[in-house]
Amino acid sequence: MNVPNHDILIVGGGGAGLRAAIAAVELDPNLSVGLVSKVYPMRSHTVSAEGGSAAVIRDEDDSFDSHAFDTIKGSDFLADQDAVEIFVKEARDELIQLEHWGCPWSRDDDGRISVRAFGGMSVKRTLYAADKTGFHMLHALFQTSLKYDRIHRYDEWFGTRLLLDDNGAACGVAAINVRSGAMQAVPAKAVIICTGGGGRIFPFTTNAAIKTGDGMSMAYRAGCPLKDMEFVQYHPTGLPGTGILMTEASRGEGGYLINNKGDRYLSEYLPDKMELGPRDMVSRAFVHEERTGRVFSGPYGTYVHLDLRHLGEQKIDERIPFVRELTKNYVGIDPVYEPVPVRPVVHYMMGGIDTDITTATPIPGLYAAGETACVTINGANRLGSNSLSELLVFGARAGRYAADYAAEVNSPSSDSLEKMAADEWQRIEQAFFKNEGRERIADIRSDLQKTMEQGAGIYREQESLAATCAELPKLKERYARVEVDDSSSVFNTELTAALELGSLLDVAETVAHSALLRRESRGSHSRMDYQERDDENFLCHSLAYRTDGEPRIEYQDVVITRWQPQERTY
Ligand SMILES: Cc1cc2nc3c(=O)[nH]c(=O)nc-3n(C[C@H](O)[C@H](O)[C@H](O)COP(=O)(O)OP(=O)(O)OC[C@H]3O[C@@H](n4cnc5c(N)ncnc54)[C@H](O)[C@@H]3O)c2cc1C
């Protein structure tokens, strides 16, 4: 296939990637934009978002400052406040724009867009489309993107490597066309990475199987640091066994969390906020209940009850119909009549590719947005419903800033890119097809997930983190002995699984090492051996750089504009 030379190449067709593509072509209708996605765009993880997207749309009882402060306090004061101030202002315009593109926001009887309560938000400011918000948002973005023939899609192309020119600037991506097996270079003046998170480094997660941190790994291998990787969010309510999410909207609409004594136990931990506390604290409360034996026990481990019965059938069907559908289908429980078993589950990565507020990374011509990026508005703990708004705000910014950059530079030479793609294919052939080893992908992946959970789970400490850090190089050694048996070129999913495992190993080492060196507790990062937040030494972002050995960790100051750190209580 003849691949044109694009102005901008976007890797990732989820919410952030599609928003970036639309912003770029709207800015300059002559731009050529390539959009590479390893799955058909509508299958991106954004589609599964349920609860909603936050923005200030009710001026009478809300304000930008209030949304900013809630976000910064939720982040345990690690968010960059300049980024948060931009975010809260632009989020509103983005969500209204999305309605104009066809997103059917739920409405009140008086015709205004509805807002619901969400954890850590001091007022109701989460817009929603029942509990299928991500589906409707992604659909509105996808169908809008179809209007522009300047957006050239490469569906089911798997990006394996970021290509850099002689000056070290991004100039395209090497990608495998999964339908034919051909490796090709997709050249561009600027590259935007929008590949989502990497929750699959853990065994029990709400994240789709495709969330393997590929873009983070691509940037990391090209020399870009990954920022704040120690901060991994647990969501308090996943179904035991599968990890399927029971959206926070179920608590926003009034659901209770109940222990085996029949008590709403959060009264002991978050008396003012109760079920609407932030995710890190509600998840830790579960662990305390577990330690005191006040949880239920089942075939998939311990759990508590999410009780929705008092909401009544009508409200459940109107506001959270998907919760009912999921529980009926996956655990045979109808929440109208029975409580639902839930436990904390890995959900989101606050960290990611280091960017500034223009979404630019330290590599010239490389931009990043969405869950794969760390700009950072989420700091040590993201508030629910900020992520969908973030991918719109910073996706749009990425499209515009990358377009500005592309206007100033020349196109890369296609010949030299073809050579780089040929080298990349040789690397892959050598690594997986001409390999004498007998290691299995699934074995290494499950050992990786096990050690991450043991060392870097909800609670962490020196000894367990050090053990995980010591285990990871051994897994990498084993990875070097993986052989891919399937030699077919069409839809070789064994090969893509092997490549994804490489990404998971990269992402995991940055999480474990950043966590080992952060000797304090902040937000989602809870150290048993350093239980207090330590602003004197750790009011800073971590930056993990790839080396031949373990990652090198450096630190960067947090940007504070108007809100001085204070104790975080709810
Ligand atoms: C179950 C669930 C519910 C959620 N609910 C909410 C909610 O209610 N509110 C909220 O704010 N947040 C929610 N979140 C979080 C939020 O949905 C995500 O953070 C966000 O959608 C990520 O969007 P994204 O565009 O960054 O990435 P994604 O939507 O994950 O898209 C990533 C894209 O990158 C592509 N890609 C990845 N690797 C490669 C590669 N190697 N080559 C080519 N393409 C690649 C994929 O094909 C895909 O198109 C939820 C998350 C989950 C898992």
Side-chain angles (χ1 to χ4, degrees), residues 11-17 36-39 41 44-46 48-53 118 157-160 194-197 206-208 210-211 214-215 218 245 247 347-348 369-372 382 384-389 391:
V11 191
V36 171
S37 178
K38 70 178 175 180
V39 297
S44 305
H45 190 74
T46 300
S48 60
E50 300 169 28
S53 191
F118 243 69
W157 282 49
F158 190 108
T160 66
C194 299
T195 45
T206 62
N207 283 195
I210 55 172
K211 295 195 72 171
D214 302 351
M218 264 187 253
L245 180 73
T247 171
H347 185 55
Y348 181 87
E371 190 173 339
T372 198
R382 169 178 75 98
S385 75
N386 266 352
S387 171
L388 291 173
S389 310
L391 63 82

Side-chain angles (χ1 to χ4, degrees), residues 42 46-50 98-99 101-106 128-144 321 388:
M42 275 306 296
T46 300
V47 82
S48 60
E50 300 169 28
L98 216 61
E99 159 146 299
W101 286 338
C103 182
W105 298 122
S106 295
Y128 56 95
D131 56 358
K132 295 187 178 172
T133 310
F135 168 83
H136 289 295
M137 288 178 66
L138 194 62
H139 204 268
L141 288 167
F142 186 51
Q143 67 185 11
T144 303
L388 291 173

Side-chain angles (χ1 to χ4, degrees), residues 53-63 66-67 70 108 113-128 251-254 273 276 315 319 385:
S53 191
V56 175
I57 56 159
R58 298 259 171 117
D59 287 337
E60 64 278 18
D61 43 33
D62 201 0
S63 68
S66 167
H67 189 190
D70 289 347
D108 290 350
I113 292 174
S114 305
V115 280
R116 65 167 41 125
F118 243 69
M121 300 281 187
S122 54
V123 299
K124 290 184 180 179
R125 64 164 74 93
T126 297
L127 285 71
Y128 56 95
R251 284 172 287 130
E253 295 296 345
K273 285 270 181 193
L276 289 174
K315 190 166 181 182
R319 302 286 179 85
S385 75

